[in-house]
Amino acid sequence: MLHSQTLSDTKIYLIPSLYNPRLWFLFILLTLQIFFLSNLPYFLHPAPHTYSIPTSTPSSLLAPAPNSTNQCPHGHVFVYNLPPYFNRHILQSCDDLNPWTSRCQALSNRALGTTAAAALAGVIPDDLTPAWFWTDQFVSEIIFHNRILNHNCRVTDPQSATAFYIPFYAGLAVGKHLWTNSSTAEDRDRHCDMMLTWLSHQPFYQKSYGWNHFITMGRITWDFRRSNDHDWGSSCIYKPRMRNITRLLIEKNPWDYFDVAVPYPTGFHPASASDVTRWQSFVRGRRRNALFCFAGAPRKEFKNDFRGVLLNQCRDSGNSCRAVNCSGSRCANGTSAILESFLDSDFCLQPRGDSFTRRSIFDCMIAGSIPVFFWRRSAYLQYEWFLPEKPGSYSVFIDRNAVKNGTSVKAVLESYSKEDVMKMREKVIEYIPRLVYAKNNNGLEGMKDAFDVAIDGVLKRFKDQEDPSFHKW
């Protein structure tokens, strides 16, 4: 008779006998095969090399311990340590970044440039002259890189990051090739292509396809939007792997979600919050003898040049208008004459520059002068994180076509009462901290400058993108 047998009664021997060498050999061979097969992807495609903070990094550039959640409510940022080819080596070749002159002086002093104290003596209070420099308008990449290494919300563990910063000096890299006839499309794209190849191997880029990555590109967006090989600039923004990366530029494409416009660097770099408040008091109490001013150069090569129209109206307005003719390179990176004209005028005229924006907008507002715009894209569709929400609270808009057809700029500005002018000026002065970049890499204690506003905005944007209701087109 057969008896049923339970599992508990069944003895299965899976461990080879201690006294059977053949079974031990088969067991070890099977184990090695399993290990090799499970790790086959790694052997075929080894993990890309990652870069740690170099031991030669000065202690002043090392990030402090991240603050609490209350101080970083939207998360933390991880800074890629790119190979030096993409930033440090570009700086080291500063003599060759411009076909006409060396840019080494402009990029010195952590890109703030040389001091302007001597030139501004007698123009501004003596105790504030150390905060002024001859700063180039295309150096935001360096400023942001230095500052973000010291940001309170920076982390060195990418696993805990909300955002990933790419410290590639895209503007400096392409700037070298913009004005030379011998440069090719490949020359203008080389650095960007190599950076994106490196980035595409990074696991956190692969995980997000770039949605939580951002970069500072220190020129206007149009310098990176070449549509064919014979056009101007680089095609970096049009590269597929750049598509989802947020880009901080001094002028954006208003219809591209991933472009964010940040203020042009100006010459004022306060070392402390008290520097800012003292400057605000100075420009608030400044006696202004002119109704309006214009600093710029006519573009005689353009038919119906609008700048020429404004200069003519300024000259015809007598003492009501101060003009600074910036023909040639006389106004490159600012002059004491420009600052004086802004300090002495209630309003400053801000037509478009080579593109829709110009650095003069920020030079003007930092001096407490009220900007007058003729294109809405010069500011209203650009710097939403940095300027007041209501354009009429801090600026005047005059349609350029009306001016071309005879409308008097002087008459329009004279129509504003003293009370109106005072309110607009106060709004401009209130926003000065958001328009400047601090002198020190640690920022302004107790006060947010343009860099802080930009980083807060990026972190909040990435936090909002994590919401299930956010639409990623």
Side-chain angles (χ1 to χ4, degrees), residues 176-189:
K176 176 179 180 178
H177 303 289
L178 290 180
W179 292 276
T180 57
N181 295 328
S182 60
S183 68
T184 64
E186 182 181 5
D187 292 333
R188 286 171 273 156
D189 288 350

Side-chain angles (χ1 to χ4, degrees), residues 286-305:
R286 177 80 176 193
R287 180 178 177 180
R288 298 173 189 264
N289 299 311
L291 176 65
F292 64 107
C293 66
F294 176 56
R299 303 292 176 85
K300 296 179 181 179
E301 63 273 21
F302 296 123
K303 186 178 180 180
N304 299 320
D305 172 38

Side-chain angles (χ1 to χ4, degrees), residues 116 118-124 132 134 286 290 292-296 321-326 330-345 348 360 363-364 367:
L120 297 180
V123 177
I124 63 176
W132 282 85
W134 299 125
R286 177 80 176 193
F292 64 107
C293 66
F294 176 56
C321 182
R322 289 192 56 162
V324 179
N325 192 320
C326 290
R330 280 182 282 181
C331 296
N333 299 326
T335 68
S336 58
I338 291 179
L339 181 58
E340 283 187 275
S341 68
F342 290 152
L343 288 170
D344 286 347
S345 305
C348 59
S360 180
D363 291 330
C364 153

Side-chain angles (χ1 to χ4, degrees), residues 92-103:
Q92 289 171 351
S93 62
C94 55
D95 275 325
D96 301 321
L97 295 180
N98 187 303
W100 304 291
T101 60
S102 169
R103 297 202 63 201

Side-chain angles (χ1 to χ4, degrees), residues 163-435:
F164 294 79
Y165 183 67
I166 308 162
F168 167 44
Y169 298 167
L172 294 183
V174 74
K176 176 179 180 178
H177 303 289
L178 290 180
W179 292 276
T180 57
N181 295 328
S182 60
S183 68
T184 64
E186 182 181 5
D187 292 333
R188 286 171 273 156
D189 288 350
R190 181 176 296 110
H191 279 83
C192 181
D193 284 334
M194 293 179 68
M195 182 277 294
L196 290 173
T197 297
W198 181 90
L199 186 66
S200 66
H201 291 300
Q202 306 308 308
F204 290 92
Y205 176 86
Q206 295 172 344
K207 183 178 179 181
S208 70
Y209 300 103
W211 271 93
N212 56 2
H213 286 56
F214 70 110
I215 185 173
T216 306
M217 306 177 82
R219 303 186 68 90
I220 63 174
T221 189
W222 316 108
D223 289 339
F224 306 99
R225 291 179 179 270
R226 191 190 71 243
S227 56
N228 65 68
D229 287 354
H230 302 291
D231 285 347
W232 170 269
S234 159
S235 63
C236 191
I237 284 178
Y238 289 143
K239 304 288 183 181
R241 286 174 289 193
M242 180 66 80
R243 179 60 268 172
N244 298 329
I245 296 174
T246 292
R247 306 172 288 266
L248 306 181
L249 305 123
I250 51 179
E251 179 178 327
K252 71 175 184 177
N253 176 353
W255 297 278
D256 189 332
Y257 168 80
F258 297 95
D259 274 11
V260 174
V262 299
Y264 280 71
T266 67
F268 182 43
H269 301 283
S272 63
S274 63
D275 277 358
V276 177
T277 55
R278 291 202 311 277
W279 178 259
Q280 288 173 309
S281 297
F282 167 65
V283 298
R284 181 181 292 114
R286 177 80 176 193
R287 180 178 177 180
R288 298 173 189 264
N289 299 311
L291 176 65
F292 64 107
C293 66
F294 176 56
R299 303 292 176 85
K300 296 179 181 179
E301 63 273 21
F302 296 123
K303 186 178 180 180
N304 299 320
D305 172 38
F306 187 68
R307 291 190 180 194
V309 173
L310 294 181
L311 280 170
N312 289 336
Q313 284 214 18
C314 187
R315 281 195 297 266
D316 294 342
S317 298
N319 293 332
S320 295
C321 182
R322 289 192 56 162
V324 179
N325 192 320
C326 290
S327 297
S329 59
R330 280 182 282 181
C331 296
N333 299 326
T335 68
S336 58
I338 291 179
L339 181 58
E340 283 187 275
S341 68
F342 290 152
L343 288 170
D344 286 347
S345 305
D346 286 327
F347 299 93
C348 59
L349 308 187
Q350 296 298 334
R352 60 171 290 172
D354 293 327
S355 59
F356 286 97
T357 65
R358 59 201 299 245
R359 166 177 157 162
S360 180
I361 294 169
F362 300 98
D363 291 330
C364 153
M365 295 183 68
I366 287 170
S369 190
I370 301 162
V372 180
F373 297 117
F374 305 90
W375 279 263
R376 296 189 185 278
R377 284 175 65 179
S378 291
Y380 305 154
L381 302 180
Q382 289 290 333
Y383 307 102
E384 294 95 332
W385 293 357
F386 305 90
L387 296 177
E389 184 177 352
K390 296 180 179 179
S393 68
Y394 75 96
S395 68
V396 173
F397 179 78
I398 306 175
D399 187 88
R400 61 192 175 281
N401 293 315
V403 176
K404 290 178 181 178
N405 291 329
T407 294
S408 167
V409 172
K410 177 184 176 182
V412 172
L413 299 180
E414 284 179 333
S415 68
Y416 287 87
S417 68
K418 290 184 178 180
E419 290 73 19
D420 292 334
V421 173
M422 188 177 299
K423 287 181 181 178
M424 285 190 284
R425 176 176 298 119
E426 192 57 40
K427 182 61 68 173
V428 168
I429 293 171
E430 175 190 341
Y431 273 71
I432 286 177
R434 304 168 73 92
L435 309 180

Side-chain angles (χ1 to χ4, degrees), residues 43-57:
F43 293 120
L44 294 178
H45 304 285
H49 180 68
T50 55
Y51 295 83
S52 60
I53 298 294
T55 56
S56 59
T57 300

